[in-house]
Amino acid sequence: MKTLLVYIGVFSPFTNIISCFGFEKGPNQDGRGGFYDRTSTTGLVLETAYTLKHVEHKAGSAIPFSIRQMGIYQNFNLATKTSSNILIQSSQNVQREVLRLVQEGTMATFPDHWKNVHEIHLSSLSNNWIDYIKFLESKMSDIEDAVRFAKRDTPDRVTFETLQRLSKYRDIMIRIAHTLDANIAALNKLLALARKRQKKCESKEPAEEDESFSESIQTCIVEQEMLKHHVGLVESSSQELGALVRNTITLTDGNVMLTLTQKTIQEARTMRTITFIALIYLPASFTSTFLSMGFVHVESLDGIMRLNVSKDMLFYVAITVPLMVVTISAWWLWEYMSKRRKRISREEGDEEKAKDL
């Protein structure tokens, strides 16, 4: 690679373009790029290097589009009408166009003007962008329909996962707007460079061809600005939709809590009824059980009721009372130890927070 660059005579800023195509992934990669140009001291060699962002289809993914970048370098000699070009990760449309020129046999005349390699990239730069934005817009529309038609009996239509998906789509739209800004900046610099070079070459090249190239750049800039405006509108609506989703989730959670509260109240009423019934039957049940134990005998002689208590009653009391005391003491000790553990745990947590501060 280094040998090739030395052979072509590439200027040093091109290394900044190459560094944009490393192994780095994620949003930080989208922020890298640049635009560089240089004219030799003789005025015969024109060098240009820059990056542009484009959209490609991504099969087998939940989001079937991805933002990619391509690098363009040109070394054009005005005297010999030769052009040395380095294209890095060109879009599929650019590759198809270059293949078409090769098949038609017109590649030999392709370097006649320095603008040709740039026109190929500009002609398809806006392709797939609108499809990408419309895809995100349709996903947001699905979320909006789910929110607007959500009911109390279908709370699962709008959940926290819905808010996460909306946040993801919004992040992508912010990324798209930033990427379009980078494209617009590069195109504006290319337009200024085209007008500057037009003055240098106007004695040798037809003015109409240079004007057509400038108009192509301006058209591409307008397309990118319109795409940016469109994605800005969609992103603004996503903010309002996000607030609506949050309110719906809050309302849904409130309805769930209301339903649980109503069930709790109903269960409390049921338990109160059961307790009331148990209180009615408990004395009678205790009395019948106690009398059936044989410790107390009821006799009736000559119309007189006599109550005889067995001596075994003392044995019953001697066993029952200590067991009752042991049971209550064990329960009290368990409650005391539980509260003590909670208090110690709370004090240790407060100490750790104090140390952190």
Side-chain angles (χ1 to χ4, degrees):
M1 183 65 179
K2 184 177 180 180
T3 304
L4 176 62
L5 296 180
V6 172
Y7 174 78
I8 299 176
V10 175
F11 63 163
S12 58
F14 181 62
T15 57
N16 297 330
I17 300 298
I18 296 178
S19 66
C20 299
F21 296 87
F23 295 99
E24 185 177 354
K25 300 293 183 180
N28 293 333
Q29 181 71 13
D30 300 330
R32 306 185 64 179
F35 189 100
Y36 308 93
D37 70 278
R38 187 185 70 173
T39 303
S40 65
T41 54
T42 60
L44 297 178
V45 179
L46 310 177
E47 288 186 276
T48 312
Y50 58 94
T51 60
L52 290 174
K53 321 289 184 179
H54 64 286
V55 173
E56 295 286 2
H57 289 279
K58 186 178 180 181
S61 176
I63 299 180
F65 298 94
S66 64
I67 299 176
R68 304 177 187 177
Q69 64 180 353
M70 49 187 173
I72 302 99
Y73 169 81
Q74 181 190 49
N75 184 315
F76 186 79
N77 192 307
L78 293 174
T80 60
K81 294 293 184 66
T82 57
S83 178
S84 300
N85 305 302
I86 300 176
L87 307 181
I88 306 175
Q89 292 185 0
S90 298
S91 67
Q92 295 181 3
N93 290 322
V94 172
Q95 295 177 28
R96 283 193 290 266
E97 182 63 19
V98 172
L99 180 61
R100 183 186 65 81
L101 293 175
V102 173
Q103 292 175 344
E104 292 179 355
T106 56
M107 181 58 75
T109 60
F110 180 73
D112 285 350
H113 198 286
W114 71 272
K115 69 179 181 61
N116 292 341
V117 67
H118 307 288
E119 281 187 331
I120 288 181
H121 291 81
L122 297 181
S123 62
S124 60
L125 183 61
S126 298
N127 291 1
N128 298 330
W129 278 105
I130 190 63
D131 294 335
Y132 194 5
I133 297 173
K134 285 184 176 180
F135 169 80
L136 296 174
E137 197 171 7
S138 66
K139 291 297 183 180
M140 289 180 52
S141 179
D142 294 340
I143 295 176
E144 184 176 7
D145 292 341
V147 172
R148 296 192 182 280
F149 294 101
K151 298 180 181 180
R152 290 183 60 182
D153 55 347
T154 58
D156 56 333
R157 296 192 62 174
V158 181
T159 61
F160 183 72
E161 188 269 340
T162 305
L163 189 61
Q164 288 179 318
R165 285 191 288 114
L166 180 60
S167 178
K168 178 181 179 180
Y169 298 146
R170 185 183 175 191
D171 290 342
I172 293 175
M173 286 183 287
I174 294 175
R175 178 185 173 189
I176 290 175
H178 173 75
T179 302
L180 292 173
D181 267 336
N183 278 353
I184 292 171
L187 291 173
N188 280 322
K189 290 185 178 181
L190 182 62
L191 178 61
L193 181 63
R195 290 172 176 172
K196 176 182 176 182
R197 290 181 176 177
Q198 181 179 351
K199 296 178 181 180
K200 292 181 176 293
C201 306
E202 59 185 1
S203 60
K204 301 179 181 180
E205 302 293 343
E208 295 81 3
E209 192 171 1
D210 291 324
E211 288 295 334
S212 175
F213 179 51
S214 297
E215 291 177 359
S216 298
I217 300 176
Q218 290 175 340
T219 300
C220 194
I221 291 174
V222 171
E223 290 176 349
Q224 296 285 295
E225 289 178 342
M226 292 180 64
L227 289 170
K228 179 186 173 184
H229 179 68
H230 186 183
V231 77
L233 293 176
V234 178
E235 195 272 332
S236 297
S237 65
S238 70
Q239 297 182 20
E240 300 178 359
L241 182 57
L244 183 59
V245 170
R246 292 186 184 91
N247 293 336
T248 303
I249 292 175
T250 302
L251 182 60
T252 301
D253 291 342
N255 291 333
V256 172
M257 291 301 298
L258 177 60
T259 302
L260 292 176
T261 302
Q262 291 175 344
K263 290 183 178 179
T264 302
I265 293 174
Q266 182 63 36
E267 291 175 357
R269 290 175 178 174
T270 303
M271 291 301 298
R272 185 176 61 182
T273 303
I274 294 174
T275 303
F276 179 75
I277 295 174
L279 288 175
I280 294 176
Y281 287 97
L282 184 60
S285 177
F286 172 76
T287 302
S288 62
T289 303
F290 183 75
L291 293 177
S292 64
M293 295 174 65
F295 297 130
V296 178
H297 301 278
V298 180
E299 298 177 353
S300 179
L301 297 174
D302 299 330
I304 299 174
M305 182 178 296
R306 294 181 179 180
L307 186 64
N308 297 323
V309 179
S310 175
K311 294 180 180 181
D312 296 335
M313 180 69 178
L314 296 176
F315 181 73
Y316 169 76
V317 174
I319 294 177
T320 303
V321 172
L323 285 176
M324 182 177 64
V325 172
V326 170
T327 303
I328 296 176
S329 299
W331 169 81
W332 180 86
L333 182 61
W334 176 266
E335 289 292 323
Y336 172 78
M337 294 299 294
S338 298
K339 292 180 181 179
R340 187 169 179 270
R341 284 194 297 267
K342 291 180 180 178
R343 185 177 67 256
I344 293 174
S345 177
R346 184 170 59 253
E347 291 175 354
E348 290 177 351
D350 294 340
E351 290 178 358
E352 291 180 358
K353 291 180 180 179
K355 291 179 180 179
D356 294 337
L357 295 177

